[in-house]
């Protein structure tokens, strides 16, 4: 099964870092979005996206709101979502897990952690 | 009799008045020193007010400077990422060219072997060909070049990963900006008694400040694994809880 990633982050730097990391792991198929709203538009326009990697703090629509929107959408609710964020406080992680995020990475991340979390979700 | 009572009351009142005068005499120096204190304090307060007003008008500039720093670091990071991408592409090209050289050298070596096998009756030519074959690029040299290429590739990737610091510091700067904004609001309320014009000017500068920043106030470039370990543990707990719920449903 081919994986098409949607990388959501308002920071151009972070989008490029995650995209480069995906390429390094052998995943070459991905699209980018600059906030949660943009991500929902991309998901609506592209049925092939089957994995979302999102930041938390973003303008317009946050990562947490994006996850809630995905989980409440009949068509998207099973979509794997990995959160990559600077928010490393216990309460935040619990809040993300309550919103049904599949896995959670605290920035700065290492390539090994990203690989491990993607593989965990895919398995 | 009534007249005597009235006089007594008058004397009492006069006594009271006398006490007030005596008290007044005692309190007058205190009032004097209070007035002196106020005379000294008023210019001081005016000075403080002016300083607050001055600081408040400087705050928007500080906020713009911080925003400029964020933009500059993002631009510089993008440039570094572009260069790192170019290096990675070049390394990829070198790697494929080396692989093609390895293939060619392997072909040459096998061709040498084939020719050498045919030259048993010509030992001199055979020996020259054997020494020529030995001059082919050795496997050791190729392996060491490939190791260096792999190291450059890893280093380039590690530079990319380290640039996460830009995103984290930009969030820290956004948090500082937010803090400055709060201070500005407090200071503005302190100098609300100033002229209408000055307050209007401050409002104009405040509106010009970029507001579209979203950040984590506790962002930090911390390579310690404790936060990730806590996240992993919570994710595991969450998964286990879900499994228990599923087990309950099916038992």
């Amino acid at each position: 099964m081919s994986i098409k990633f949607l990388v959501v982050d308002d920071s151009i730097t972070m989008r490029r870092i995650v995209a480069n990391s995906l390429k390094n792991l052998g995943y070459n198929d991905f699209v980018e979005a600059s906030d949660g709203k943009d991500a929902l538009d991309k998901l609506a326009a592209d049925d092939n996206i089957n994995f979302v990697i999102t930041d938390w703090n973003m303008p317009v629509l946050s990562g947490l709101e994006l996850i809630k929107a995905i989980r409440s959408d009949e068509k998207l609710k099973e979509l794997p979502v990995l959160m990559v964020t600077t928010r490393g406080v216990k309460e935040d992680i619990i809040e993300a897990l309550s919103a049904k995020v599949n896995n959670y990475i605290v920035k700065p991340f290492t390539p090994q952690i990203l690989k491990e979390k993607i593989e965990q979700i895919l398995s | 009799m009534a007249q005597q009572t009235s006089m007594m009351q008058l004397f009492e009142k006069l006594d009271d008045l006398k006490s007030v005068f005596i008290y007044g005499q005692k309190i007058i120096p205190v009032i004097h020193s209070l007035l002196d204190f106020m005379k000294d304090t008023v210019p001081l307060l005016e000075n403080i007010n002016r300083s607050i007003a001055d600081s408040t008008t400087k705050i928007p500039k500080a906020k713009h400077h911080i925003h400029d720093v964020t933009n500059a670091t993002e631009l510089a990071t993008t440039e570094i990422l572009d260069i790192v991408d170019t290096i990675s592409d070049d390394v990829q090209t070198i790697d494929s060219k080396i692989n093609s050289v390895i293939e060619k050298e392997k072909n040459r070596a096998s061709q040498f072997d084939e020719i050498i096998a045919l030259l048993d009756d010509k030992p001199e030519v055979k020996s020259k060909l054997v020494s020529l074959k030995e001059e082919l690029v050795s496997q050791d040299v190729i392996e060491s070049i490939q190791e260096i290429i792999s190291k450059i590739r890893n280093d380039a990737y590690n530079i990319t990963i380290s640039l996460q610091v830009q995103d984290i510091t930009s969030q820290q700067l956004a948090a500082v900006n937010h803090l400055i904004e709060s201070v500005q609001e407090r200071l503005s309320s302190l100098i609300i008694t100033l002229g209408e014009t000055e307050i209007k000017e401050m409002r104009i500068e405040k509106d010009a400040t970029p507001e579209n920043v979203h950040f984590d106030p506790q962002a930090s470039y911390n390579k310690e694994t404790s936060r990730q370990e806590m996240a992993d543990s919570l994710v595991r707990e969450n998964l286990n809880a879900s499994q228990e719920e599923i087990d309950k449903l099916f038992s």
Side-chain angles (χ1 to χ4, degrees):
Chain A
M1 180 188 155
S2 69
I3 311 289
K4 185 168 187 176
F5 289 87
L6 173 61
V7 180
V8 194
D9 203 308
D10 57 327
S11 157
I12 303 165
T13 307
M14 277 315 299
R15 288 206 300 273
R16 281 191 68 174
I17 291 171
V18 174
N20 278 1
S21 302
L22 289 175
K23 274 196 252 177
N24 216 38
L25 294 173
Y27 302 112
N28 293 305
D29 200 3
F30 52 83
V31 283
E32 295 178 16
S34 58
D35 58 64
K37 167 81 172 57
D38 189 20
L40 287 175
D41 291 344
K42 296 259 161 65
L43 286 168
D46 189 346
D47 287 339
N48 294 321
I49 295 169
N50 44 17
F51 201 115
V52 177
I53 298 177
T54 184
D55 181 26
W56 186 317
N57 293 100
M58 290 182 292
V60 189
L61 194 77
S62 74
L64 192 72
E65 290 165 325
L66 170 65
I67 296 167
K68 286 175 182 170
I70 287 172
R71 295 299 177 235
S72 61
D73 185 311
E74 201 54 41
K75 200 178 141 198
L76 302 172
K77 67 180 181 186
E78 300 297 331
L79 199 62
V81 182
L82 171 61
M83 184 163 260
V84 182
T85 173
T86 52
R87 299 175 79 126
V89 181
K90 189 177 178 182
E91 289 72 24
D92 289 338
I93 301 166
I94 291 171
E95 197 177 355
L97 289 169
S98 307
K100 294 194 170 68
V101 71
N102 293 81
N103 219 318
Y104 198 97
I105 293 178
V106 182
K107 289 181 199 169
F109 67 86
T110 62
Q112 291 76 17
I113 289 286
L114 183 68
K115 182 174 185 278
E116 191 186 301
K117 301 305 168 199
I118 291 173
E119 284 173 357
Q120 272 177 14
I121 293 175
L122 291 177
S123 67
Chain B
M1 188 66 188
Q3 201 176 5
Q4 196 180 356
T5 312
S6 297
M7 284 303 284
M8 287 295 285
Q9 281 173 346
L10 181 68
F11 285 133
E12 273 174 24
K13 295 284 178 194
L14 281 171
D15 276 344
D16 288 348
L17 201 61
K18 191 182 163 190
S19 307
V20 168
F21 279 130
I22 291 164
Y23 184 70
Q25 271 177 333
K26 281 181 185 168
I27 210 161
I28 279 169
V30 179
I31 290 169
H32 268 298
S33 60
L34 198 67
L35 283 171
D36 288 343
F37 174 75
M38 282 174 77
K39 269 182 204 166
D40 291 343
T41 312
V42 167
L44 210 78
L45 284 172
E46 278 172 357
N47 203 8
I48 290 170
N49 225 359
R50 268 198 302 276
S51 297
I52 291 172
D54 189 39
S55 306
T56 309
T57 51
K58 280 176 185 165
I59 283 175
K61 276 185 194 170
K63 282 161 61 186
H64 279 294
H65 281 313
I66 290 174
H67 191 70
D68 288 348
V69 169
T70 305
N71 284 344
T73 54
E74 188 164 50
L75 191 69
T77 309
T78 305
E79 283 173 4
I80 295 168
L81 281 168
D82 287 343
I83 295 166
V84 171
D85 280 354
T86 310
I87 292 170
S88 301
D89 290 346
D90 289 347
V91 167
Q92 188 60 42
T93 309
I94 294 169
D95 199 26
S96 12
K97 284 189 177 172
I98 282 186
N99 283 333
S100 132
V101 168
I102 291 169
E103 274 308 303
K104 279 179 186 168
E105 291 295 281
K106 272 184 189 166
N107 284 340
R108 268 194 209 127
S110 64
Q111 280 171 1
F112 268 112
D113 288 340
E114 281 171 25
I115 297 166
I116 287 164
L118 297 171
L119 294 171
D120 284 341
D121 54 335
K122 292 175 182 169
E124 277 181 27
V125 181
K126 187 179 177 178
S127 132
K128 278 189 179 173
L129 275 177
V130 168
S131 55
L132 262 177
K133 190 196 164 191
E134 280 165 5
E135 283 174 21
L136 291 173
V137 182
S138 77
Q139 193 61 32
D140 289 349
V141 174
I142 288 169
E143 276 174 11
S144 70
I145 293 171
Q146 282 178 319
E147 269 174 31
I148 293 166
I149 287 172
S150 170
K151 191 181 172 300
I152 294 171
R153 190 182 285 130
N154 281 338
D155 288 347
Y157 182 53
N158 286 336
I159 291 171
T160 303
I161 289 295
S162 298
L163 289 173
Q164 288 178 86
V165 71
Q166 191 277 324
D167 174 54
I168 293 165
T169 49
S170 73
Q171 292 196 54
Q172 288 169 335
L173 289 175
V176 171
N177 248 351
H178 183 70
L179 196 69
I180 289 174
E181 248 170 47
S182 312
V183 172
Q184 186 188 14
E185 276 169 24
R186 290 279 172 90
L187 291 179
S188 297
S189 66
L190 276 175
I191 54 165
I192 205 78
T193 49
L194 284 175
E196 188 70 14
T197 325
E198 284 174 77
I199 291 165
K200 269 182 189 167
E201 275 172 9
M202 285 190 308
R203 279 183 190 151
I204 290 163
E205 289 191 59
K206 186 177 187 283
D207 289 344
T209 310
E211 299 271 336
N212 58 341
V213 187
H214 294 262
F215 58 90
D216 169 16
Q218 290 174 318
S220 70
Y221 190 69
N222 186 350
K223 286 188 173 179
E224 274 181 25
T225 54
S226 57
R227 294 188 308 162
Q228 186 59 52
E229 281 164 8
M230 182 180 64
D232 291 349
S233 149
L234 289 167
V235 169
R236 268 195 305 275
E237 277 175 29
N238 189 56
L239 283 174
N240 291 339
S242 305
Q243 193 58 51
E244 278 171 22
E245 281 165 16
I246 294 163
D247 291 342
K248 272 183 195 170
L249 281 173
F250 286 95
S251 61

